[in-house]
Amino acid sequence: QVRLVESGGGSVQAGGSLRLSCAGKGVAPYTFDRYSLGWFRQAPGREREGVAAIDSWGTIYSDSVKGRFTISRDSATPILYLQLNNLKLEDTAMYYCGRGRGDRVSLTSGDFNLWGQGTQVTVSS
């Protein structure tokens, strides 16, 4: 059974950094490349928001994280990463990785049909 498992969340002061990982369990090496992959976040009382996504052609980022977050993947393992730098209070949320229904990059949650359980990121002043 294919599943996604996130890790790497935690508590950090504003301006700090974290690296999130999303391991593909039951996923054969190099098959990650067949799909778009993305990172989303959801704060209490708010809708799930796409922050970064990657496909075979490139990456996209939401305006709120552009220049601070970097998405990457290791297809051999396979693991999806999200490097979070210069964290701000408003970055506090549960972060989820997702696998797309297809192979084109998207920040729309409806374009994803496989999700991990989430990892919490808390930024304090």
Side-chain angles (χ1 to χ4, degrees):
Q1 181 180 0
V2 175
R3 58 192 180 98
L4 304 176
V5 180
E6 300 97 333
S7 61
S11 297
V12 63
Q13 288 190 323
S17 298
L18 287 172
R19 189 173 81 156
L20 306 184
S21 298
C22 171
K25 302 296 186 181
V27 177
Y30 301 103
T31 59
F32 252 13
D33 295 352
R34 299 178 185 174
Y35 303 92
S36 63
L37 300 167
W39 285 98
F40 291 72
R41 66 186 181 187
Q42 188 167 18
R46 302 190 66 177
E47 293 186 355
R48 189 168 293 193
E49 169 195 20
V51 297
I54 186 169
D55 65 12
S56 297
W57 293 272
T59 58
I60 58 172
Y61 298 90
S62 67
D63 289 342
S64 61
V65 307
K66 196 173 297 182
R68 300 188 297 120
F69 292 8
T70 303
I71 188 172
S72 62
R73 63 184 175 187
D74 179 345
S75 297
T77 311
I79 298 180
L80 178 71
Y81 297 102
L82 185 68
Q83 179 68 40
L84 293 69
N85 295 330
N86 190 22
L87 281 160
K88 302 178 180 180
L89 298 179
E90 54 263 40
D91 294 320
T92 295
M94 184 71 79
Y95 283 71
Y96 300 89
C97 64
R99 189 187 71 180
R101 298 177 187 275
D103 63 355
R104 293 305 175 101
V105 71
S106 170
L107 291 179
T108 302
S109 60
D111 291 334
F112 292 75
N113 60 359
L114 180 67
W115 298 94
Q117 82 289 347
T119 186
Q120 178 69 36
V121 172
T122 302
V123 184
S124 61
S125 59

